[in-house]
């Protein structure tokens, strides 16, 4: 038998069953008016899918993102989120994942990178990397985690401006 674990990041907003129905989250053919005042959550998944779950079911399936492990922070990075540690001195610092890409020589301003791309037929593959926005408002490509970072449980997802 195989073991599985499910990890997904969603947005959740408290909402009654009746409110969920009015927002189109409960199909008309399955609507039961006696449940109008039932407490639950409106969920928005990363792919845009929206649904509603009763409070008890939601609280059984999900935990608030308040202090993730490093492993969960990596999963969040891979899912396209920015992450940071609560313990970092500057709260404006964060990490993100720059995905792998093909770099064309004509795009390059860096002479070394341009030369490597030209020597490789005009383009070269760049591997993905974790980048950091530093306290000095600079970009660090190729951020490496310390032992403390890897063993800490204070990782959080950084809200985008449209999440506020």
């Amino acid at each position: 038998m195989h073991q599985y674990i499910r990890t997904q990041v969603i947005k959740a907003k408290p909402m009654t069953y009746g409110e969920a129905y009015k927002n189109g989250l409960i199909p008309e053919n399955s609507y039961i008016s006696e449940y109008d005042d039932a407490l639950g959550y409106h969920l928005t998944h990363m792919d845009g899918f929206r649904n509603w779950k009763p409070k008890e079911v939601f609280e059984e399936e999900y935990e608030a993102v308040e202090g993730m492990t490093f492993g969960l922070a990596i999963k969040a990075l891979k899912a396209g989120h920015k992450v940071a540690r609560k313990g970092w001195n500057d709260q404006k610092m964060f990490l993100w994942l720059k995905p792998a890409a093909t770099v064309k020589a004509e795009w390059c301003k860096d002479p070394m990178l341009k030369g490597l791309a030209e020597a490789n037929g005009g383009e070269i593959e760049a591997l993905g990397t974790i980048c950091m926005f530093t306290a000095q408002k600079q970009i660090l490509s190729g951020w490496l985690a310390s032992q403390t970072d890897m063993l800490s449980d204070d990782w959080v997802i950084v809200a985008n401006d449209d999440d506020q």
Side-chain angles (χ1 to χ4, degrees):
M1 180 181 295
H2 299 285
Q3 293 184 336
Y4 298 90
I5 187 167
R6 176 178 159 174
T7 304
Q8 66 181 166
V9 178
I10 61 158
K11 295 178 188 174
K13 177 181 174 185
M15 178 181 290
T16 66
Y17 180 87
E19 291 168 328
Y21 174 71
K22 289 175 190 163
N23 282 292
L25 301 172
I26 307 292
E28 193 169 325
N29 62 353
S30 64
Y31 172 69
I32 302 169
S33 61
E34 301 92 76
Y35 297 141
D36 270 357
D37 295 329
L39 298 176
Y41 288 86
H42 171 203
L43 310 181
T44 304
H45 300 257
M46 286 190 56
D47 61 3
F49 176 73
R50 301 174 338 135
N51 66 330
W52 182 86
K53 286 198 180 227
K55 182 179 187 293
E56 299 77 25
V57 174
F58 174 82
E59 290 175 352
E60 178 72 25
E61 292 182 4
Y62 294 94
E63 287 184 50
V65 179
E66 297 289 332
M68 299 182 296
T69 64
F70 184 62
L72 288 176
I74 294 294
K75 283 184 179 258
L77 283 173
K78 288 180 175 182
H81 295 282
K82 298 183 293 189
V83 299
R85 286 201 44 218
K86 282 185 181 181
W88 282 345
N89 294 335
D90 187 317
Q91 295 304 305
K92 293 186 174 45
M93 295 168 58
F94 62 87
L95 306 177
W96 79 95
L97 183 63
K98 182 170 38 172
T102 300
V103 178
K104 296 187 181 276
E106 62 263 23
W107 300 342
C108 298
K109 293 185 180 181
D110 176 342
M112 176 62 72
L113 182 55
K114 183 176 183 130
L116 291 170
E118 288 173 343
N120 195 53
E123 62 184 36
I124 194 162
E125 295 299 313
L127 301 175
T129 186
I130 297 174
C131 296
M132 173 187 258
F133 183 72
T134 70
Q136 296 76 31
K137 297 184 178 173
Q138 297 172 319
I139 305 295
L140 171 65
S141 292
W143 174 84
L144 295 174
S146 69
Q147 293 279 325
T148 303
D149 289 328
M150 289 186 273
L151 297 173
S152 293
D153 291 334
D154 67 346
W155 288 93
V156 295
I157 292 175
V158 176
N160 293 319
D161 294 335
D162 59 346
D163 292 341
Q164 306 298 330

